[in-house]
Amino acid sequence: MIQFLLHGFRSVFHGSRAYWLWVSALLILVLVGLNAYARQLAHGLFTTGMGDEVSWGLYIANFVFLVGMAAAAVMVVIPAYIFKDREMHKVVIFSELFAVAAMIMCMAFITVDLGRPDRLWHLVPVIGHFNWPGSMLTWDVIVLNGYLFLNLYVCIYFLYTAFHGHVPRQGLYLPVIFVSIAWAFSIHTVTAFLFQGLGGRPFWNSGLIAPRFLASAFAAGPAFMILVFTILKRLQAIAFESTVIDKVRVIVTVSLLINIFLAGSELFADLYANSAEAIHISLLFGLHGESLLAPWIWAALGMNVLAALILLSPVRRQPLALMASCSMIIIGVWIEKGLGFVVPAFIPSTLGDFVQYVPSANEVLICIGIWAFGLLLYTLFLKGAIPIVNRTEIHPD
Amino acid sequence: MEKDTKPSGALSRREFITGMTITLAAAGAGVAALSPLSGAEETPSLDAFLQQHYKRLTVAEKKAIFARLEAEIRSTYGVKAAIADPPPMDGVEFAYALNIGRCIGCRKCVYACMQENNQSRDPQIQYIRVLKMKKEGRGIDLQSAVHDYPQNEAADPDYYYMPVQCQQCKNPPCVKVCPVHATWQEPDGIVVIDYNWCIGCRYCEAACPYHARRFNFTRPHIAPEEINPHMAYLSNRPRYMGVMEKCTFCLQRTRVGRYPACAEVCPTGARKFGNLNDPQSEIRKIIENERVYVLKEDLGTVPKFYYVLAK
């Protein structure tokens, strides 16, 4: 084990100038974020753009988005393990490592959203006072931590056995893989239930939220993995056949279309019936007076539709077009989850007050800091894992 | 992230030094980055940090905690306050009735509430929101309501004024969603918060359909001379930064036989308060004889705050 850790330590300290530049840049952003968080701790959430009307903002939005990104690792795990795709096996560990990094980012976003992070221990079962099964937030604590540990276990087990040149024992990982597949669905479903169970917020109170969360996550998550795989291949860090990208691309395309369909279906029901929710939607799209959200949501919609068109046309085989559409999907879904889902439920407020939300600079810095921290972790994970993975490629199984 | 040809090869001296320098610089910069913490508005004491949930405290522990809080109030505000813990009365379930036909929107209740319950004055936290709605417009419609009308627009006969505060629901969504049981419903129907247990996630604020909950986005500020020294642990004692608070039907008053501050101050008699379980009470008479409605009945929250449209 010491050998294994030492190797990881050596790997992350052993890199090109570009690597050091990337790592240092991320570190600086992490520190800037940490500084902003210290300011928030000192003066309270007053330093954010949130208020009693819009009481959840960028933090919860990023949290929801990242739960989806983490859950999406399963879309590379399923082809690898259930359909026994050998090429997928070469890259599956990289999506599992991303799930670990994404889960850690999720927990960081929840922590910075708390008014009293010093009382986090109240949320620990037995020691604290855990409102389970009543509160969906306690379910989320369980499934998020569970998913983190499942993925952490799989990653460490594989890398550790590979490092020592052993063959992984099926009994020690296959059951965990299958549990983690089911678990991946649960993290995003529970996160959706967190919102859709609230009767007082008609915008969230819809049975379509969980399916929409899954569909959008299974578009954005694998799209991110396409970017990572392609970049790593370009850097000649890893090798795999292009069928991997083709398969993940099909998953992205189908999920994206389902997501657009579900969103459209929901929009129709509420706008046609002119339900209580319709006011939130028409405001969101700028149909009801001034809305700060409207330009964003139109941009998100445009990006998602354009990405879908690219993915459906023959252009999709061009790596550059594919990368562009993957980026548009990631950004589009990020906007859709945050500015298009979390924030509009608060505008208007439950008493009909129209208060807009603009995140503060400090709040944005904290978000950037957490993202940089997650990407830094993922970079270091990859740096440690890639040499081990490549070594086993030379002596397969 | 170039291809690693010698993954397990020894680190060169230069790489090691670069790596260690960056790590050390990062650690040093990390400490520097945390420097704003030295100007923190509030730092919890060890006793406060370790304090258990209200319902898990013994009588002796409560006594010690109340004494500690009283000492804190004395050192912060220079006020000698008494923290009581009046229990719910047997067989009592409180309810409220508000006559919209009489309310003139003067907002005396809003400010009486603030004085009684020691809400922060800067930033100002109010439990009662008065909505102003044109009688001949869309009538009682929340989305066309005006929330922040100037004081000289009160008592306009063309408008309804509808004050909204915690509805003390029989089925409170806020209680259900709290991940740590920091908020709960007492036997007399009042939903309370343990300000020393709340983690500040604001899930209850998202769940409440009546905008009844308020969050302390920063440290509450009250001038010492404005402090109401008659306090209860579960209601009007000073709050902390980063916790929720809400209307408690003034339990520090109502549990000892007084009216809530908002009902007492109302100049038009629009506000009535009483025991739902007493058939002779004024509140029961109103519910039985007048046309009453509750807000957002379809949500199944079963509010115990009845609105009346009478003269």
Side-chain angles (χ1 to χ4, degrees), chain B residues 118-135:
Chain B
N118 291 319
Q119 277 105 314
S120 172
R121 309 297 204 272
D122 177 29
Q124 203 171 79
I125 290 183
Q126 302 175 347
Y127 292 165
I128 304 172
R129 176 69 65 94
V130 185
L131 309 188
K132 178 182 167 218
M133 295 170 288
K134 199 161 173 48
K135 285 180 181 171

Side-chain angles (χ1 to χ4, degrees), chain A residues 4-5 7-12 19 90-98 154-156 158-160 162-163 232 237-238 377-393, chain B residues 1-2 4 7:
Chain A
F4 175 65
L5 290 175
H7 172 267
F9 184 74
R10 271 194 211 119
S11 296
V12 300
Y19 167 77
K90 291 182 184 167
V91 293
V92 68
I93 184 97
F94 304 124
S95 70
E96 287 161 339
L97 284 170
F98 180 68
V154 170
C155 292
I156 292 176
F158 266 103
L159 292 174
Y160 185 71
F163 177 70
L232 289 180
I238 58 171
L377 277 182
Y378 188 46
T379 307
L380 300 184
F381 290 166
L382 288 177
K383 198 76 178 63
I386 286 171
I388 300 178
V389 174
N390 285 341
R391 196 158 57 163
T392 42
E393 284 311 308
Chain B
M1 280 179 284
E2 92 295 12
D4 290 286

